[in-house]
Amino acid sequence: MTNRQLVESAGFYGKDFATGKTGFNLAAVVTLGKDEVIRSLCPTYKTDALVRVEDTERYDDRLTVATNLLDAYQLLAEFGRKHLPDRFLLSGDFATSPRDVIIRELVVNCLIHREFTSPFVAKMIVDRKALRTENASRASFEGPLDPDSFNPLPKNPLIASFFSYVGLAEELGSGTRELFRNSRLYTGRDPELEEGVIFRATVPLEAPSTMEYHVISLPDNIETAALQLAAREEGLRTSDLVEAGHSRRTAQRAIRDLVDAGKLAPEGNGPSRVYRA
């Protein structure tokens, strides 16, 4: 497809039925636009990344990002990886990085689910105790977010879909589950998510003193791994096998074969579908 066809398929180019004019919408500008165009339409848009480990009053390192969302993600993710330790874990034959997943989920959430017209400056803060993000939001409720009972609502669905197309996000709600899973792997503690006019996410960086790090592995055989994961309370999703190092096509084929053999039973439809043994 041409560049125009690509942005049209993403919903970034269309018709304003109130005026009859066609053109790029705000989602296109903040996701792919040039800095000067973003600045003219969203003058308060920026993300302030700070490290406060030694100098807790000001900062040890700082990065201010006011570029388009794709470039902003790369800059903020690199900043986070620079200042957070990596902890080696093994899934099957593949090394995984809970740190990188945590950074990806927090940065993507902070960027794509924010309220762009708010003057509140989004923040990513690393200190001795936690990695924190804050961003303006259009909340449907206020209070702590429970991953087992919340109903995710897209704040900016066009932007969220585009990030899904380029592989930086998955189905709605999966990011929260991944954040909880990898936070537990990283320090043995759950993150704290608070919905409201300002959305706040906190991932603890200090592990309990009694925690022992260990290698987490899944069987090499994909069908055995699928059955093992499906036996969990939360069931099996295709993304679980992809994260274990298998291609999405291989994971989908293995699940289909197990369903046909009567070893797995699907529950739900679309992105919410899980499989149980």
Side-chain angles (χ1 to χ4, degrees):
M1 291 189 290
T2 64
N3 289 341
R4 174 62 60 84
Q5 289 171 328
L6 282 171
V7 295
E8 286 178 348
S9 67
F12 287 170
Y13 187 91
K15 181 177 181 180
D16 184 341
F17 290 95
T19 64
K21 296 181 179 180
T22 58
F24 296 103
N25 53 30
L26 184 58
V29 172
V30 297
T31 305
L32 302 169
K34 295 181 178 180
D35 293 359
E36 58 269 24
V37 180
I38 296 173
R39 189 162 52 248
S40 67
L41 294 179
C42 301
T44 59
Y45 159 72
K46 69 177 180 178
T47 304
D48 209 1
L50 301 167
V51 175
R52 288 173 173 161
V53 176
E54 301 298 333
D55 189 343
T56 58
E57 295 297 325
R58 300 191 70 220
Y59 52 84
D60 305 315
D61 194 6
R62 183 178 186 179
L63 174 69
T64 300
V65 176
T67 189
N68 68 66
L69 298 184
L70 283 182
D71 290 341
Y73 169 79
Q74 299 296 337
L75 293 169
L76 292 169
E78 182 180 350
F79 185 86
R81 289 191 291 265
K82 174 183 175 183
H83 292 288
L84 291 178
D86 205 359
R87 288 165 183 157
F88 175 81
L89 291 171
L90 194 65
S91 181
D93 292 332
F94 296 89
T96 63
S97 173
R99 177 203 65 177
D100 290 353
V101 176
I102 290 169
I103 291 172
R104 182 192 70 199
E105 298 301 339
L106 285 186
V107 171
V108 166
N109 182 80
C110 181
L111 290 175
I112 71 178
H113 294 305
R114 70 171 59 184
E115 174 54 64
F116 288 93
T117 60
S118 171
F120 182 83
V121 176
K123 300 177 184 66
M124 181 173 79
I125 302 172
V126 179
D127 59 30
R128 290 182 181 273
K129 294 184 177 181
L131 167 63
R132 300 180 174 87
T133 58
E134 300 178 350
N135 60 272
S137 176
R138 286 176 289 150
S140 56
F141 73 98
E142 292 192 9
L145 192 153
D146 184 347
D148 296 324
S149 60
F150 84 110
N151 294 313
L153 297 173
K155 307 294 195 308
N156 299 297
L158 292 179
I159 298 174
S161 294
F162 187 86
F163 268 69
S164 178
Y165 295 154
V166 299
L168 292 176
E170 293 189 35
E171 64 266 21
L172 193 63
S174 65
T176 301
R177 291 187 291 270
E178 282 302 298
L179 183 60
F180 271 78
R181 175 175 175 269
N182 283 274
S183 180
R184 292 163 185 164
L185 294 176
Y186 196 59
T187 60
R189 301 172 63 183
D190 284 343
E192 297 177 3
L193 307 179
E194 185 177 351
E195 183 68 278
V197 176
I198 304 301
F199 182 88
R200 293 181 170 88
T202 303
V203 174
L205 300 180
E206 293 181 321
S209 58
T210 57
M211 180 180 177
E212 294 182 0
Y213 290 103
H214 58 281
V215 172
I216 295 178
S217 62
L218 289 172
D220 293 334
N221 182 283
I222 187 173
E223 293 190 355
T224 304
L227 292 172
Q228 179 177 314
L229 292 168
R232 303 174 304 169
E233 182 179 349
E234 61 267 34
L236 166 72
R237 297 177 184 273
T238 304
S239 58
D240 294 330
L241 294 175
V242 174
E243 288 163 12
H246 302 286
S247 71
R248 182 168 292 276
R249 180 174 296 179
T250 300
Q252 291 171 336
R253 183 172 61 248
I255 291 174
R256 184 173 62 250
D257 291 343
L258 289 170
V259 170
D260 292 341
K263 296 181 179 180
L264 288 181
E267 291 184 5
N269 295 307
S272 63
R273 171 168 289 188
V274 297
Y275 300 86
R276 303 191 185 278

